[in-house]
Amino acid sequence: MMQKAVNLHYLPDLSRIWKVFMVGVNSVHPQEIVRNFVRREGEKLVVGNAKYDLEHNVYAVGFGKAVNGMVRPVENVLQASSGGSHLQKGIISIPVGIKKQLGSAGTSDIVEYLEGAKNNIPDEAAFAASKRIVSLVQGLKDQDILLVLISGGGSALLPYPVPPLTLDEKLAIVKSLSRAGANISELNTVRKALSGTKGGRLAQMTKAKTVSLILSDVIGSPLDVIASGPTVANSDPPEAAAKVLQKYKVPISDTVRSVLQAKALETVTGFSHVNNNVIGSSDIALSAIETFLNHQKDNHSLALVLSSSLQGEAAEVGASMAELAAALSGMVQQEQYGSDLLSDHTLQALCVDPSKKTLLEATVARCRQLKCPLWLIFGGETTVTVTGAGQGGRNQEMVLAASINLNKTMQGSPFRGEVIFMSGGTDGIDGPTDAAGALTYWKAHNGSTESQVLEASRQDLVPEAFLQDNNSYTYFSSLSAGKYLFKPGHTGTNVMDVQILLINPSY
């Protein structure tokens, strides 16, 4: 029988969900990661397995949403035993607003903190910081050590278009690609071709021993993609950038065409003077969340990381999340509902390795036996093909699509309990908004249902209209005074996005 909808004034435990999300974020805070990866042995700097002689000869540059957190541990490890510091000078390019948030922690006698790239868009302030970084790097000698601190957002914070290309011309091209739905790999292919620093060109500027500390925000952590690989030889085929532009039908000027033609003639080999190190990634954050949830003594539950490579169109992924929730909610509560609802197509759409299906089914069976909640964890980075005029981000759009489809897929379900889904950017910022992401829910109890969509309808909000206009931020801001948006501000780290799906039956 169809469940009736009533106003239950239900509110999911928002603080608990965001706490779980922040467990992952805090596990990849750069201060802790750098301390674990960089150390001293007397007057030698040890990075991973490599050692470097310290003779007051270290310089540092950095760019990205999380590099400010790397500075202090680097400064600490480079204190000279005779007084002073082996670190002679540093320049880092960070997003607008971070210095205010850091307060006194964002100051240094040696390192300059330069802000730019408001809303993660390259601007003149970021360009000015790039010029300063380039000038410092070009002046170093072969006996010097150059530390390069890199994290997600580095592409926007190190804009240095190949002359005579202007910053506005390059920005227009990248913006057109992004709106057309190009993924981060495609965007970086074009950025590298049009940049004087990306695609290994920063490393080409110096003979100094170069050591990169990289916090990955890219699926699989390919070095040439993270921040567009400024210290990694560009392995893209000569015509790769032109083909991306053709694929998305982005018109280019004669200036851009000449830059691409010159780029196609370049030959870049590997760098013997560069040591690149990935010190943190999404896998660490997802594992931390899984461990935290599986070891709750006072609130037993089971958690499983299903994918660390989630990608695709955000709205389509959100719809697939709703399909997965509908299947698993029945499987968790009623054995006769069967595992046949867990379709391979849905798992494939969520980038779940086929080998994990058996493990997922076993975890569901265990949850049913223990009568406990099931938490599923995902990580990755989706895209949004913008066709509307609204404001939003990929995480909010995914949650909005999931909300709409949860209301559909759960209709008539025998499930009793709650389903909660959230998606958020670990950097604290989702698109050009002040939110990290959003949350939605569906709940059934005593023959009645409540959902976010029903809550929205009581407020005369039509979620489908907001989704069609790519206006997820406005939707969540309008819904119940914005209580389903999460706004932690800049978190100081960046390892892509995290999604959490909670199936919590009423046994």
Side-chain angles (χ1 to χ4, degrees):
M1 184 174 71
M2 185 70 67
Q3 298 162 344
K4 63 180 180 178
V6 297
N7 187 353
L8 300 176
H9 299 289
Y10 166 73
L11 180 65
D13 189 349
L14 300 177
S15 61
R16 183 187 180 199
I17 301 298
W18 298 133
K19 177 183 177 181
V20 171
F21 172 71
M22 290 304 296
V23 166
V25 171
N26 292 333
S27 72
V28 285
H29 198 281
Q31 288 188 0
E32 294 301 320
I33 293 175
V34 172
R35 287 194 192 102
N36 294 333
F37 203 86
V38 181
R39 67 185 192 279
R40 282 278 293 281
E41 290 183 3
E43 294 306 299
K44 289 185 180 293
L45 175 67
V46 183
V47 182
N49 295 321
K51 297 182 180 181
Y52 303 88
D53 293 325
L54 294 173
E55 299 174 351
H56 299 277
N57 57 340
V58 183
Y59 299 80
V61 298
F63 28 90
K65 298 176 181 178
V67 296
N68 52 281
M70 300 183 189
V71 172
R72 191 56 56 86
V74 165
E75 286 187 301
N76 290 341
V77 81
L78 289 174
Q79 292 296 314
S81 58
S82 59
S85 175
H86 289 292
L87 181 62
Q88 300 299 291
K89 185 176 179 60
I91 301 173
I92 64 170
S93 178
I94 56 178
V96 170
I98 286 187
K99 289 177 68 175
K100 182 178 180 180
Q101 183 175 325
L102 291 173
S104 60
T107 60
S108 168
D109 294 332
I110 302 174
V111 179
E112 294 182 69
Y113 292 70
L114 304 178
E115 292 189 327
K118 186 176 182 180
N119 293 329
N120 201 33
I121 297 174
D123 54 22
E124 290 298 330
F127 189 20
S130 299
K131 293 175 184 177
R132 297 281 307 282
I133 288 173
V134 166
S135 177
L136 173 60
V137 171
Q138 288 178 330
L140 299 181
K141 300 177 177 58
D142 55 5
Q143 66 264 32
D144 294 323
I145 300 170
L146 173 64
L147 293 180
V148 185
L149 314 178
I150 303 173
S151 73
S155 289
L157 286 158
L158 192 70
Y160 199 83
V162 176
L165 190 64
T166 68
L167 181 60
D168 286 341
E169 286 177 302
K170 182 183 175 186
L171 178 58
I173 291 173
V174 174
K175 185 176 181 180
S176 295
L177 283 171
S178 181
R179 290 180 67 88
N183 61 39
I184 190 168
S185 179
E186 293 170 324
L187 289 172
N188 283 344
T189 290
V190 175
R191 286 183 181 126
K192 286 185 286 186
L194 301 179
S195 173
T197 52
K198 299 175 175 64
R201 286 173 168 169
L202 185 70
Q204 285 180 290
M205 295 177 180
T206 182
K207 294 180 180 180
K209 292 176 282 292
T210 301
V211 183
S212 294
L213 304 178
I214 304 169
L215 190 61
S216 173
D217 69 330
V218 182
I219 292 171
S221 301
L223 291 174
D224 60 336
V225 175
I226 305 167
S228 303
T231 59
V232 183
N234 190 1
S235 60
D236 291 336
E239 303 297 330
K243 288 182 177 179
V244 171
L245 293 167
Q246 291 170 3
K247 174 182 176 181
Y248 293 99
K249 297 180 174 60
V250 175
I252 60 175
S253 65
D254 290 340
T255 301
V256 173
R257 188 172 289 105
S258 65
V259 168
L260 291 176
Q261 289 172 346
K263 172 64 179 173
L265 297 175
E266 285 186 6
T267 301
V268 180
T269 57
F271 304 125
S272 60
H273 67 298
V274 177
N275 177 13
N276 289 304
N277 304 272
V278 175
I279 63 173
S281 67
S282 174
D283 289 326
I284 296 174
L286 303 183
S287 178
I289 294 174
E290 182 183 59
T291 300
F292 173 78
L293 290 170
N294 282 330
H295 292 83
Q296 295 291 291
K297 295 181 180 179
D298 57 344
N299 191 9
H300 186 64
S301 59
L302 290 180
L304 178 65
V305 174
L306 273 189
S307 176
S308 61
S309 58
L310 190 66
Q311 54 190 308
E313 194 69 26
E316 295 175 4
V317 171
S320 296
M321 283 289 182
E323 293 174 3
L324 180 65
L328 293 178
S329 60
M331 291 169 60
V332 165
Q333 193 160 56
Q334 297 190 27
E335 186 171 2
Q336 64 268 30
Y337 213 53
S339 62
D340 56 321
L341 292 180
L342 190 58
S343 77
D344 293 336
H345 176 75
T346 298
L347 295 178
Q348 183 180 8
L350 295 173
C351 306
V352 179
D353 190 293
S355 64
K356 281 203 170 183
K357 183 177 181 179
T358 301
L359 177 59
L360 175 57
E361 290 173 340
T363 304
V364 169
R366 183 66 173 158
C367 281
R368 191 167 55 238
Q369 179 184 6
L370 296 175
K371 298 186 183 302
C372 70
L374 170 66
W375 299 77
L376 298 175
I377 309 155
F378 301 80
E381 189 165 287
T382 58
T383 56
V384 174
T385 301
V386 179
T387 58
Q391 183 181 16
R394 58 183 180 265
N395 291 286
Q396 294 162 74
E397 178 143 329
M398 185 192 300
V399 174
L400 177 52
S403 185
I404 293 169
N405 285 279
L406 267 176
N407 205 52
K408 296 176 182 177
T409 58
M410 297 299 291
Q411 286 293 327
S413 169
F415 177 73
R416 297 294 182 272
E418 63 180 352
V419 174
I420 298 175
F421 174 67
M422 63 76 54
S423 182
T426 56
D427 59 354
I429 304 298
D430 183 31
T433 76
D434 61 353
L439 174 149
T440 189
Y441 69 89
W442 185 94
K443 181 178 175 65
H445 182 67
N446 292 334
S448 299
T449 65
E450 175 67 333
S451 70
Q452 193 175 80
V453 168
L454 293 174
E455 183 178 339
S457 69
R458 293 193 292 271
Q459 299 173 39
D460 297 322
L461 296 172
V462 182
E464 292 85 355
F466 286 91
L467 181 62
Q468 185 175 4
D469 198 33
N470 301 118
N471 204 13
S472 54
Y473 179 76
T474 304
Y475 171 78
F476 283 111
S477 297
S478 303
L479 177 62
S480 301
K483 68 184 179 185
Y484 299 112
L485 285 173
F486 184 45
K487 298 182 178 182
H490 288 288
T491 62
T493 191
N494 184 18
V495 291
M496 300 187 290
D497 305 328
V498 169
Q499 293 79 29
I500 299 172
L501 176 62
L502 169 62
I503 311 293
N504 189 14
S506 298
Y507 290 102

